[in-house]
Amino acid sequence: MDRFVWQVARSVTEAATLAGRTVAEAMLADPGQPAAPDCVVLKAGGIDLLDLMKEGLLRPSRVVNLREVPGLAAITEDSSGLRIGTLVTLEQLATHPALRQRYAALADAVASSASPQIRHVATLGGNLLQRPRCWYFRSVAHHCARKGGEHCFAFAGENQYHAVFGHEGCAIVHPSTAATALVAFDARVELVNAQGVPRSVPLGAFLVGPGIDVKRETDLGAGEVLTAVLLPPTAASTRSVFLKQAARSSSDWSIADVAVVLDRAPDGRCQRACIVLGAAAPVPWRAQQAEAALVGQMIDAAVARTAGQAAIAGAVPLSRNAYKLPILATLVRRAVLQAAGAPEPENGR
Amino acid sequence: MTVSDNRRTEKFPFGIASVGLDEIERRIPAGEPPPLPPNDALQVIGKPVRRQDARAKVTGAMRFTVDVKLPGLLHARILRSPLPHARVQAIDIEAVARQPGVRAVLVIASSDTILRYVGAPVAAVAATTQAAAEAALRLIRVNYAPLPFVVDLDTARRPDAPLVYPAGERPSLSIAEILVASALKLTGNVRGPDTQGSRGDIAQGFAQAQVIVESDYRTQTQTHCCLEPHAIVADWRADGLTVWMSTQFTAGVRRELAQTFGLKLGEVRVKVAAMGGGFGSKSQLGTYGRYAVMLSRQAKAPVRLVFDRAEEQLDSGNRPATWQHLRIGARRDGMLTAVSLLEYGTAGVGVGAGVGNFAQALYACPNFSSAQNDVFINAGRSSPMRGPGNTPGAFAMEQAIDELADKLGLDPLVLRERNDPSAVRREQRRLGAQRIGWDRRHQPGADAGPVKRGLGMAQSLWGANVHTNAACEVRLLRDGSVEVLSSVQDLGTGIGTILAQVVAEEFGLRPDDIIVHIGDTDFPAGPPSYGSQTTASITPAARNAAWKVKQMLFRQVAASLGVAPEQLVARGGRIVVLEDTTRGVSFREAAAGLRTEQISAVATRSDDYGGFRRHMGDQAGAQNDIGGVQFAEVSVDTETGTIRVERVVAVQDCGRPMNPKLIESQVQGGVLMGISYALLEERVIDRQTGHVMNADLEQYKLVGPREAPSIEVLLLENYQGQSATDAYGIAEPSNIATAPAIANAVFNAIGVRLRTLPMTPAAVLAALDTRLRRN
Ligand SMILES: Cc1cc2nc3c(=O)[nH]c(=O)nc-3n(C[C@H](O)[C@H](O)[C@H](O)COP(=O)(O)OP(=O)(O)OC[C@H]3O[C@@H](n4cnc5c(N)ncnc54)[C@H](O)[C@@H]3O)c2cc1C
Ligand code: SF4
């Protein structure tokens, strides 16, 4: 790791003014060259940033610490919903009572992320803005399309953990587990620029797939700071479930996950369903056909099974990841049944 | 007791305690102590004594090689090949040598050197800080001419595959030695076949068979993943060389250093602090060890070289991947008539990818044929790893035996009962079956619903290895303190504590009374800590030495008590007269009466009293080796492909168990490593670029706390009257049966066999899918 200047930001606008480029832009520089003097990046928990720096993938000249900026680490709730400051840690989220009660899928998604040690340090904002884990992307020896190269190594290579949907020229899966649940709750992100002007966008639109731009995962602009994540209120009847499967259950990444948010009418019929697949595509992947299979239905085992199958319709697995499809279908079916409070017909877990 | 020549005859306890003990007469060297009774008649040996360094380990006070700090210490880093196969055209270190902070530069791959794997060392630098060394590496200019490469076993076997060692090209030194030394043919990338161990008439054996099973099995490349990285601090001085190294064999490394650098043994000192695992990968000096010493010699200053995690994964060894084809013939009653094994394995650019003597020696089958081959690929070379050969060998063989049982409609335990003459494993099967509840075992796939449960078992075999070049000193000082000294190292197993137990038992003291000095070649040369032979080799030496010192002490005490030395015993911190235990002195008083400041004795490990049990290649001998039977209970989610190991019952033996607590911890480690091997671990190499994609502990999946099942360890006391302690090893035996036991349990759960490791969700789903399509 190279030398860099450490700077503590005291306000959002100071941080935004300092942040010369996004990490995605900075990583397009030739890794063989020393850091450009204007390569200034923001740091929250630093888990991902430090990882990139240690691997020699990112060589900033200056690192601006956001952690001392006041007002970014609170969770507040009012009639417009829940506002989660960008510096709230994953651990705080996982254990927050309001989340546990009304946004259970989000609490579970966060609780299933990484390890306890990491969750105590990692922030929600940093989690949404972390770079993908594609192992070619994380290797200095592979100058792939996402780092400004010509080529994607995944299609003809080791793609067991890659995307089954939406892989247009790049097959990453979005790394954030929280994002799966956040998109299912229609979350928005709030951003502030150097002039102090805020904007807010739906998270689903903020996260961009390779079809739009293969070199970045978000719509974050240089000189922008993510300040908060906003969750609309849930109805009393809203039920949500998050299920994840990883290669191992100890501190590991998803190979597939799913968040289901259901609203049911008093007669028990499904009024509204939002189903999002994680680790399935370069962005959290709305399974709209599966949602359509639920709306207006009394949810039972057969309906849930149909939804599960609908969720994987149109998937295009790569050479080594077709196994993800039955897993995704199963997770959707089980999550839908759990969210509907319908008993599982079998002993499945 | 009768004495003749230099030997005398003694009666030793003999047999398996839970079955019933007998006695056996052994001729033993005259200078060695009388037999120990079975464990229940002992005070300290065989008791679950807490390891002496437990507190230091838990509190972080323990010091490892990476913690060694010396004045003027330099830090070394190694530049490594970015290409899987390349010729070095030019290497330029000029800019580096002029760099501030750089004290020594070593060109490892000069021009025209062929680099054969990603991570192969190219150059090394020692500098005043780690960062300076790191920065210096980037200034080394190397021109590589890329060569065609091959990184997977199957492709490497094809006739048109790129050659790792083209004819006429000089292979690396160690490989050259092996190729020359062995008569095995090199054809393309394939070296072999090695047909050692074949016996009988295989064709006739299959002709006699009424039932034949035949399958292919695959095992993956597994890496050692020592939590403590490979590390060395080398201090070259005019008056000698001192090396601190995380090593499994201090005495061996000293010998290697003396030979390599033209020094006298007495000029080389090797020390090891605490260790965080080796699993076979830290058995030798290694090239990195040599580089560190060369850098120190060049810089005239101590040099510290510590691998990072990527180096651990790329260049510190691994367990070879294998492809095994097994064909087994049997009569309808289950008696085996023929076993044939064809194996191709890859140890990367190295050799040693065979699967050992497992299939050959486990069952009494008159006809056996074996053909084992090394296949070279452009990947880091393997090194021995916990139960080398037998672990992948067991995965294939113990599944094949279950496949046979299935075909014959026999209970797998019954089939083994018919073919396995080992009395140890018979008892282990009995105890294990009872504990796991084998009678609950149902037909494959019998559970309703998507989650299926299953029971399976598998057996293991490992040599009762002994290293007779093993010495130990015991000292008694005038204040009553007792020291035990040997260069033997604690790989993490707790051998220091076991030595304290052995000496304490002899002197009638508590283990905490004994001061242990190990891991330093200034002490008498101890055995290596690989091959599961540490305890078997060094504890008899320690007891022999302690007994000699006790005799000296008794002679002095006897005079003052006016009795003969033979009338004395040491117990409860006193030395007393056997017939009248009220007469005696405290141990401290006795020591205070010594005429000299200390008395001491050095003793060695003699050959096994009853002749060595280990005879590789000899079936009868192997039947007496260390056994082990493991039972696994699993659940398989047939919709997500997830296998959960819920419970493992490990029934093990290691001669006389010296410390059940430490043994249990070894077995738990062995089982966890086996689960990891069975379900998770796999080195992944990209075929496009030859790079290891998961050279880290994030994408290289190691077992974690949530994968840990309930592990129940049942331990046999197996007395053989073979040495002053009659102890044998446990570390490797506990790792061998786990993966096949799980695989057999998975078959019992879902009715589909997984013959490839690791058994990932993808593999489970694919296997179920194939069956669905077949039906
Ligand atoms: C072993 C391991 C397992 C893991 N498993 C999971 C998992 O299962 N699920 C999962 O979701 N994650 C997982 N992670 C990733 C981890 O959760 C993220 O790295 C972490 O959340 C990043 O948060 P941070 O606060 O440390 O971000 P940082 O590293 O500080 O920042 C990340 C990025 O965001 C930018 N940034 C941060 N905050 C702001 C802001 N407010 N405005 C603008 N830019 C900003 C930084 O410049 C940087 O580019 C795992 C990580 C490891 C090492
Ligand atoms: S999937 Fe994307 S990140 Fe990975 S190698 Fe291809 S382009 Fe690069």
Side-chain angles (χ1 to χ4, degrees):
Chain A
M1 196 156 61
D2 287 343
R3 287 183 168 277
F4 58 85
V5 176
W6 174 261
Q7 184 161 1
V8 176
R10 301 285 168 196
S11 71
V12 170
T13 46
E14 187 194 357
T17 309
L18 285 166
R21 14 181 121 170
T22 64
V23 163
E25 288 164 356
M27 283 181 65
L28 295 174
D30 180 351
Q33 293 304 310
D38 62 339
C39 185
V40 181
V41 297
L42 300 176
K43 175 211 150 277
I47 300 281
D48 194 42
L49 200 72
L50 205 68
D51 211 353
L52 295 169
M53 289 165 69
K54 284 198 290 196
E55 292 296 336
L57 291 161
L58 172 69
R59 301 178 156 196
S61 55
R62 187 175 293 255
V63 172
V64 177
N65 188 17
L66 285 173
R67 277 241 134 128
E68 317 265 309
V69 176
L72 297 182
I75 303 178
T76 52
E77 194 171 15
D78 60 24
S79 57
S80 63
L82 206 62
R83 179 190 166 87
I84 306 168
T86 186
L87 292 181
V88 169
T89 64
L90 300 187
E91 190 60 26
Q92 285 171 306
L93 272 181
T95 51
H96 195 272
L99 242 71
R100 283 248 142 266
Q101 273 170 24
R102 287 188 289 289
Y103 305 89
L106 178 58
D108 286 342
V110 172
S112 79
S113 302
S115 65
Q117 293 90 328
I118 291 172
R119 289 198 297 274
H120 276 278
V121 176
T123 67
L124 180 60
N127 184 268
L128 293 174
L129 295 168
Q130 62 173 312
R131 305 244 42 207
R133 300 310 286 203
C134 165
W135 43 27
Y136 297 104
F137 179 79
R138 294 273 163 174
S139 150
V140 267
H142 296 84
H143 190 54
C144 75
R146 192 161 285 275
K147 291 182 287 191
E150 301 285 294
H151 185 64
C152 170
F153 293 88
F155 287 94
E158 296 293 329
N159 51 35
Q160 45 270 55
Y161 300 132
H162 285 78
V164 291
F165 289 105
H167 38 55
E168 302 168 71
C170 163
I172 61 157
V173 296
H174 197 274
S176 168
T177 313
T180 310
L182 285 170
V183 169
F185 282 115
D186 289 330
R188 299 176 76 82
V189 288
E190 183 188 86
L191 305 142
V192 173
N193 66 12
Q195 287 72 48
V197 181
R199 67 175 174 124
S200 111
V201 262
L203 178 60
F206 180 67
L207 302 176
V208 298
I212 296 174
D213 185 351
V214 73
K215 300 191 190 69
R216 59 191 169 93
E217 299 82 57
T218 72
D219 200 26
L220 183 78
E224 262 190 327
V225 174
L226 195 156
T227 46
V229 174
L230 313 171
L231 282 169
T234 51
S237 69
T238 303
R239 292 288 173 274
S240 69
V241 170
F242 172 85
L243 294 178
K244 160 171 168 174
Q245 171 146 350
R248 59 190 161 181
S249 30
S250 313
S251 314
D252 206 1
W253 299 90
S254 301
I255 51 184
D257 61 49
V258 55
V260 170
V261 180
L262 292 185
D263 281 309
R264 281 186 301 161
D267 68 355
R269 280 181 197 284
C270 175
Q271 257 177 339
R272 196 185 79 96
C274 195
I275 301 179
V276 180
L277 312 181
V283 293
W285 195 255
R286 271 297 275 276
Q288 275 156 343
Q289 292 185 41
E291 294 168 1
L294 297 182
V295 174
Q297 303 288 323
M298 293 296 287
I299 292 174
D300 60 14
V303 169
R305 186 171 293 276
T306 307
Q309 287 309 315
I312 56 171
V316 183
L318 306 179
S319 54
R320 289 169 196 258
N321 67 5
Y323 74 97
K324 283 190 170 192
L325 301 184
I327 299 177
L328 283 164
T330 302
L331 294 185
V332 167
R333 173 169 57 75
R334 290 179 184 176
V336 163
L337 284 175
Q338 274 183 38
E344 285 231 40
E346 320 92 338
N347 63 351
R349 298 178 290 179
Chain B
M1 176 179 99
T2 56
V3 182
S4 68
D5 311 334
N6 258 339
R7 299 220 153 215
R8 66 179 201 273
T9 302
E10 292 272 14
K11 283 206 173 83
F12 283 77
F14 188 80
I16 302 163
S18 59
V19 175
L21 284 183
D22 222 330
E23 274 190 344
I24 191 166
E25 282 195 348
R26 297 282 193 209
R27 305 273 297 148
I28 76 168
E32 299 205 359
L36 285 175
N39 276 351
D40 55 14
L42 294 173
Q43 304 303 309
V44 192
I45 289 177
K47 305 293 173 278
V49 174
R50 192 179 66 196
R51 50 187 309 144
Q52 289 192 332
D53 53 15
R55 173 172 283 272
K57 278 209 163 160
V58 172
T59 58
M62 203 85 179
R63 287 289 163 260
F64 295 82
T65 301
V66 293
D67 299 312
V68 172
K69 300 263 160 27
L70 298 176
L73 187 64
L74 302 176
H75 300 262
R77 293 291 293 152
I78 296 175
L79 179 71
R80 293 180 177 278
S81 174
L83 296 172
H85 200 181
R87 179 185 302 275
V88 176
Q89 286 180 313
I91 177 162
D92 176 5
I93 57 167
E94 203 137 294
V96 187
R98 281 185 275 113
Q99 188 70 2
V102 171
R103 291 297 149 77
V105 187
L106 201 65
V107 173
I108 296 163
S110 49
S111 59
D112 272 354
T113 304
I114 308 284
L115 302 166
R116 290 177 217 278
Y117 58 98
V118 170
V122 174
V125 171
T128 44
T129 64
Q130 182 93 3
E134 204 96 35
L137 291 187
R138 280 192 235 133
L139 299 175
I140 300 176
R141 296 273 163 261
V142 191
N143 278 337
Y144 301 98
L147 296 169
F149 62 90
V150 58
V151 289
D152 74 283
L153 183 57
D154 295 347
T155 313
R157 280 175 59 189
R158 292 200 202 124
D160 59 343
L163 294 180
V164 177
Y165 292 110
E169 206 175 85
R170 196 173 59 85
S172 71
L173 200 62
S174 53
I175 302 294
E177 283 164 5
I178 292 165
L179 289 177
V180 171
S182 85
L184 295 179
K185 253 200 352 236
L186 180 64
T187 317
N189 289 314
V190 180
R191 173 184 169 268
D194 182 346
T195 55
Q196 268 183 68
S198 299
R199 63 174 179 263
D201 180 338
I202 196 73
Q204 206 190 326
F206 281 113
Q208 289 164 357
Q210 292 167 309
V211 177
I212 291 176
V213 291
E214 185 162 11
S215 290
D216 295 344
Y217 304 87
R218 279 176 184 278
T219 66
Q220 77 283 42
T221 300
Q222 182 186 25
T223 56
H224 298 73
C225 295
C226 311
L227 291 189
E228 181 211 12
H230 287 62
I232 177 169
V233 174
D235 191 11
W236 180 285
R237 290 176 188 253
D239 60 350
L241 169 65
T242 305
V243 157
W244 288 257
M245 189 172 190
S246 179
T247 175
Q248 296 177 233
F249 193 13
T250 52
V253 167
R254 176 170 69 165
R255 207 158 50 218
E256 284 186 78
L257 284 167
Q259 275 162 10
T260 310
F261 292 97
L263 298 167
K264 295 182 183 137
L265 279 176
E267 293 171 328
V268 183
R269 181 173 182 186
V270 177
K271 300 205 250 186
V272 56
M275 282 182 76
F279 309 111
S281 72
K282 294 175 177 172
S283 303
Q284 292 179 325
L285 175 63
T287 48
Y288 70 103
R290 241 174 43 221
Y291 305 148
V293 176
M294 288 159 86
L295 288 167
S296 172
R297 184 172 60 180
Q298 201 186 105
K300 301 190 172 61
V303 167
R304 171 188 192 266
L305 176 60
V306 178
F307 276 14
D308 64 23
R309 190 51 63 184
E311 290 178 299
E312 286 293 314
Q313 296 294 85
L314 296 176
D315 202 26
S316 79
N318 53 67
R319 186 194 293 288
T322 69
W323 174 92
Q324 300 173 60
H325 180 88
L326 268 172
R327 186 156 188 255
I328 302 184
R331 295 201 319 239
R332 223 172 285 295
D333 63 1
M335 296 308 291
L336 301 184
T337 60
V339 175
S340 93
L341 165 71
L342 172 64
E343 188 252 2
Y344 290 89
T346 180
V349 298
V351 292
V355 289
N357 71 337
F358 191 87
Q360 163 203 341
L362 187 63
Y363 297 109
C365 171
N367 308 301
F368 175 79
S369 87
S370 168
Q372 306 193 14
N373 299 273
D374 273 306
V375 182
F376 296 110
I377 63 169
N378 292 104
R381 70 167 49 81
S382 76
S383 61
M385 179 167 181
R386 204 170 194 169
N390 283 16
T391 300
F395 176 72
M397 183 64 183
E398 281 297 90
Q399 281 211 78
I401 290 293
D402 260 44
E403 297 195 36
L404 180 64
D406 193 45
K407 199 157 181 180
L408 289 166
L410 281 177
D411 184 316
L413 289 178
V414 174
L415 181 62
R416 286 175 174 84
E417 201 69 31
R418 300 217 170 128
N419 289 288
D420 180 0
S422 157
V424 167
R425 278 188 296 268
R426 171 168 306 130
E427 175 67 355
Q428 290 174 331
R429 284 191 299 270
R430 186 184 73 80
L431 291 172
Q434 203 170 49
R435 175 63 76 95
I436 196 97
W438 189 253
D439 48 11
R440 293 180 294 130
R441 187 166 175 276
H442 51 47
Q443 283 304 305
D447 283 325
V451 177
K452 318 269 187 199
R453 303 175 74 85
L455 288 178
M457 58 81 61
Q459 307 206 117
S460 79
L461 168 80
W462 190 248
N465 298 337
V466 166
H467 193 84
T468 48
N469 180 359
C472 189
E473 179 178 357
V474 171
R475 285 183 195 156
L476 168 59
L477 300 144
R478 252 194 189 156
D479 65 350
S481 51
V482 178
E483 293 174 286
V484 51
L485 309 93
S486 169
S487 82
V488 69
Q489 50 288 314
D490 184 359
L491 176 56
T493 59
I495 186 63
T497 304
I498 296 172
L499 289 177
Q501 286 177 266
V502 170
V503 176
E505 184 77 47
E506 207 53 40
F507 287 122
L509 299 172
R510 292 163 307 171
D512 282 348
D513 296 333
I514 313 298
I515 301 163
V516 179
H517 304 285
I518 55 172
D520 187 337
T521 56
D522 270 7
F523 309 137
S529 294
Y530 52 72
S532 301
Q533 56 189 336
T534 316
T535 305
S537 306
I538 194 66
T539 57
R543 182 161 179 247
N544 290 348
W547 186 71
K548 284 184 173 158
V549 171
K550 187 171 77 173
Q551 301 312 303
M552 295 180 212
L553 181 64
F554 279 7
R555 278 197 287 278
Q556 299 196 17
V557 173
S560 65
L561 290 174
V563 295
E566 296 77 42
Q567 288 172 272
L568 295 177
V569 288
R571 62 167 62 140
R574 292 177 60 76
I575 295 171
V576 295
V577 179
L578 188 56
E579 287 89 51
D580 175 8
T581 54
T582 60
R583 282 180 64 205
V585 292
S586 77
F587 190 80
R588 249 169 215 280
E589 286 163 0
L594 289 177
R595 279 189 295 275
T596 52
E597 192 60 25
Q598 68 175 46
I599 53 175
S600 92
V602 178
T604 57
R605 164 64 150 99
S606 50
D607 290 357
D608 273 7
Y609 297 153
F612 282 111
R613 291 205 284 161
R614 177 176 170 70
H615 304 280
M616 281 290 266
D618 169 9
Q619 188 204 348
Q623 286 300 335
N624 282 328
D625 277 347
I626 296 169
V629 176
Q630 295 188 1
F631 292 77
E633 182 162 6
V634 304
S635 65
V636 185
D637 187 328
T638 53
E639 293 176 338
T640 64
T642 311
I643 299 172
R644 267 205 76 80
V645 180
E646 314 248 328
R647 188 175 170 216
V648 172
V649 172
V651 199
Q652 308 286 153
D653 61 291
C654 50
R656 175 195 299 276
M658 300 299 282
N659 182 331
K661 193 180 222 140
L662 293 176
I663 292 168
E664 227 170 89
S665 125
Q666 280 302 303
V667 176
Q668 283 169 350
V671 168
L672 288 173
M673 213 164 180
I675 293 174
S676 210
Y677 183 54
L679 304 184
L680 295 165
E681 294 184 46
E682 178 168 32
R683 183 188 69 183
V684 177
I685 304 189
D686 178 56
R687 284 165 213 218
Q688 309 161 91
T689 61
H691 274 259
V692 175
M693 297 322 299
N694 55 353
D696 52 50
L697 291 183
E698 176 198 334
Q699 299 293 3
Y700 185 92
K701 312 286 183 189
L702 269 188
V703 68
R706 292 215 180 103
E707 281 72 40
S710 123
I711 302 173
E712 293 153 63
V713 182
L714 306 182
L715 202 54
L716 255 52
E717 287 173 41
N718 181 23
Y719 299 101
Q720 296 286 317
Q722 290 285 38
S723 74
T725 59
D726 211 10
Y728 286 95
I730 191 70
E732 286 163 299
S734 64
N735 183 226
I736 294 169
T738 313
I742 293 170
N744 286 336
V746 168
F747 176 77
N748 183 239
I750 61 177
V752 183
R753 219 158 248 298
L754 296 179
R755 299 188 183 89
T756 299
L757 286 180
M759 297 180 269
T760 58
V764 173
L765 291 170
L768 288 166
D769 199 43
T770 313
R771 185 189 55 172
L772 246 150
R773 260 187 273 121
R774 235 192 271 122
N775 296 350

